[in-house]
Amino acid sequence: MNQTSQRLFFGLWPSAATADEIMAWARDAHALCGGRMMQAEALHMTLAFLGNTPEDKVHELVQAAPGWTVPVGTLQLKRFGRFAGPRVVWAGPSSEDGERVPWLDDAYASLWSHLEGAGWERPASVFRPHVSLLRKAGPCELDVLSRPALSWTPEQCVLVASRPAEGGSRYEILVRLPIRH
Ligand code: 2AM
């Protein structure tokens, strides 16, 4: 196929072991809310969504991103949440600073300052870190769900192409960025 653009995003990717742990959250949420459960290998936390990107820009990013170091720490997934519009149910982090996790905000800012240097525009919307668990979920009262905090130190920050596939999207990792603990 002669592609003219690719749908891109940057995200933090869990190891297979952490993804298995996150799937326990997805199963709890699915029992309550229904919808379509994410597959373990597709779980991630989006840091920057770029959307449809022309091939020349994809090429530029693939060349530049291996030189961008992203600071990474440990986060605690502690809460379930829901985006009503896209009907997504997610797992989200908390810290002593409430819902903000300082190193995650730093990782977001660091990645976006690299992207701005490459001509991309930082979104005006607030960064709401989350790992999507369900899509097309029904309305549900998430307060009844609780799980022990799940500790996650992301091993990878990656540039990913999202391709349409049966039953959802298929994600292909294009670049692994260096991380700094
Ligand atoms: P999600 O992180 O809430 O699941 C690839 O599509 C990834 O980018 C998904 O993880 C998705 O949402 C996120 N994404 C899709 N469309 C988006 C948009 N318009 N703004 C921000 N993130 C988006």
Side-chain angles (χ1 to χ4, degrees), residues 12 48 52 55 57 64 70 74 82 103 106 110 112 128 159 161 165 175:
L12 299 172
N52 281 333
E55 283 302 334
K57 287 275 175 200
V70 175
T74 299
R82 185 166 187 277
W103 74 258
D106 291 348
S110 163
W112 270 107
R128 298 187 66 188
L159 170 63
V175 174

Side-chain angles (χ1 to χ4, degrees), residues 7 9 38 44-46 49 83 88 130 132 135 162 171:
R7 183 179 159 94
F9 67 99
M38 293 287 289
H44 63 273
M45 178 177 283
T46 301
F49 177 72
F83 294 144
V88 164
H130 64 276
S132 292
R135 301 200 190 276
S162 166
Y171 298 138

Side-chain angles (χ1 to χ4, degrees), residues 33-82:
C33 311
R36 184 164 55 75
M37 225 184 327
M38 293 287 289
Q39 302 208 318
E41 58 274 18
L43 292 168
H44 63 273
M45 178 177 283
T46 301
L47 286 181
F49 177 72
L50 304 182
N52 281 333
T53 305
E55 283 302 334
D56 56 338
K57 287 275 175 200
V58 176
H59 182 72
E60 275 176 34
L61 281 171
V62 167
Q63 297 291 312
W68 301 348
T69 302
V70 175
V72 164
T74 299
L75 60 81
Q76 307 288 328
L77 290 177
K78 286 191 180 166
R79 59 202 169 87
F80 288 92
R82 185 166 187 277

Side-chain angles (χ1 to χ4, degrees), residues 106-177:
D106 291 348
Y108 178 86
S110 163
L111 182 56
W112 270 107
S113 69
H114 286 302
L115 282 166
E116 283 175 333
W120 294 85
E121 196 175 330
R122 193 184 296 227
S125 52
V126 174
F127 172 46
R128 298 187 66 188
H130 64 276
V131 179
S132 292
L133 304 172
L134 310 176
R135 301 200 190 276
K136 301 197 165 104
C140 51
E141 194 45 69
L142 292 167
D143 291 350
V144 301
L145 292 181
S146 79
R147 290 197 64 86
L150 193 168
S151 184
W152 175 29
T153 307
E155 292 81 5
Q156 300 196 70
C157 180
V158 290
L159 170 63
V160 181
S162 166
R163 313 205 194 283
E166 202 154 320
S169 300
R170 193 172 54 78
Y171 298 138
E172 183 189 338
I173 293 177
L174 301 182
V175 174
R176 292 181 165 78
L177 281 65

